[in-house]
C-alpha cells in the first residue's frame, strides 16, 4: 500500500512545501516529517470519505449493518456507529398514521406531506373536531396530546 500511495503523498508534500519532489527531503528534518504527516492526513481524510461512500453504496443495494461490520472486521453495532446513515430502514407500514381511542371516542393522527402531524376525531358524545384549520404539530406525540384533550372534553358523562 505504501508503494501505491507514496507517489501521491510525495506530490502532496511537494505542493505543500513548494519544493520540487527531488529536493523536498533537503529541508529541516522536522519540516520534512511534518510534511509527511500532513500528506498522510489528507489521504486519511479521503480514505474515510471513500469508505463511507462505499458503505452507503452497499447499504443502498441492500447490505445490512451485520454484513458491513463483517467486511470491516467490526460488530454490527460498530458498523452502525461508524456509518449511521449507510443502511436505510424501511418505514413501518403504520408510519405516518395511527389511531387513538380514549374516553369512548377515537382520533386519527396523520402525518402531513410537510412532515408535521394533524388529527381528526369524534368524541364519545358524537362531536367531531372542527374542520381542519391547517394546524400542524411538530410531532405525533404533540398531535396526540391535542386529540386526547379533545376526546376527554367530549367524553360521555357516566355519572347519571
Amino acid at each position: 500500500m505504501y508503494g501505491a500511495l507514496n507517489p501521491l503523498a510525495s506530490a502532496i508534500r511537494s505542493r505543500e512545501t513548494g519544493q520540487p519532489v527531488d529536493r523536498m527531503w533537503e529541508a529541516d528534518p522536522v519540516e520534512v516529517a511534518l510534511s509527511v504527516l500532513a500528506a498522510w492526513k489528507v489521504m486519511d481524510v479521503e480514505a474515510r470519505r471513500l469508505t463511507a461512500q462505499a458503505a452507503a453504496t452497499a447499504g443502498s443495494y441492500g447490505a445490512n449493518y451485520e454484513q458491513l461490520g463483517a467486511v470491516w472486521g467490526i460488530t454490527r453495532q460498530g458498523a452502525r456507529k461508524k456509518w449511521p446513515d449507510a443502511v436505510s430502514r424501511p418505514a413501518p407500514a403504520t408510519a405516518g398514521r395511527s389511531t387513538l381511542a380514549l374516553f369512548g371516542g377515537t382520533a386519527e393522527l396523520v402525518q402531513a406531506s410537510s412532515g408535521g402531524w394533524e388529527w381528526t376525531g369524534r368524541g364519545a358524545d358524537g362531536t367531531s373536531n372542527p374542520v381542519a384549520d391547517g394546524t400542524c404539530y411538530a410531532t405525533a406525540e404533540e398531535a396526540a396530546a391535542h386529540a386526547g384533550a379533545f376526546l376527554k372534553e367530549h367524553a360521555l358523562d357516566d355519572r347519571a
Side-chain angles (χ1 to χ4, degrees):
M1 189 155 121
Y2 177 82
L5 296 177
N6 195 46
L8 181 56
S10 292
I12 293 170
R13 285 193 309 267
S14 177
R15 186 185 68 217
E16 295 293 321
T17 63
Q19 295 286 335
V21 174
D22 62 337
R23 297 199 58 223
M24 67 184 163
W25 297 106
E26 297 172 10
D28 174 53
V30 171
E31 293 302 317
V32 169
L34 290 174
S35 73
V36 169
L37 181 62
W40 288 114
K41 180 187 184 297
V42 169
M43 310 228 358
D44 179 56
V45 168
E46 185 63 8
R48 288 174 192 260
R49 185 187 70 77
L50 291 171
T51 300
Q53 183 178 347
T57 300
S60 74
Y61 285 115
N64 59 41
Y65 282 114
E66 186 173 351
Q67 293 169 310
L68 294 175
V71 167
W72 202 251
I74 57 178
T75 64
R76 174 182 53 83
Q77 295 89 343
R80 186 185 308 273
K81 185 175 180 183
K82 186 169 193 61
W83 305 297
D85 299 322
V87 175
S88 60
R89 292 186 207 150
T94 59
R97 181 176 299 271
S98 64
T99 302
L100 180 66
L102 291 171
F103 306 106
T106 59
E108 184 176 23
L109 302 144
V110 179
Q111 190 168 24
S113 59
S114 65
W117 288 83
E118 301 170 335
W119 65 274
T120 57
R122 181 181 274 313
D125 65 359
T127 304
S128 294
N129 67 310
V131 176
D133 60 0
T135 302
C136 250
Y137 301 96
T139 65
E141 292 79 9
E142 185 180 3
H146 286 272
F150 170 84
L151 294 174
K152 182 177 182 181
E153 183 179 331
H154 295 281
L156 292 177
D157 186 7
D158 60 345
R159 290 179 278 168

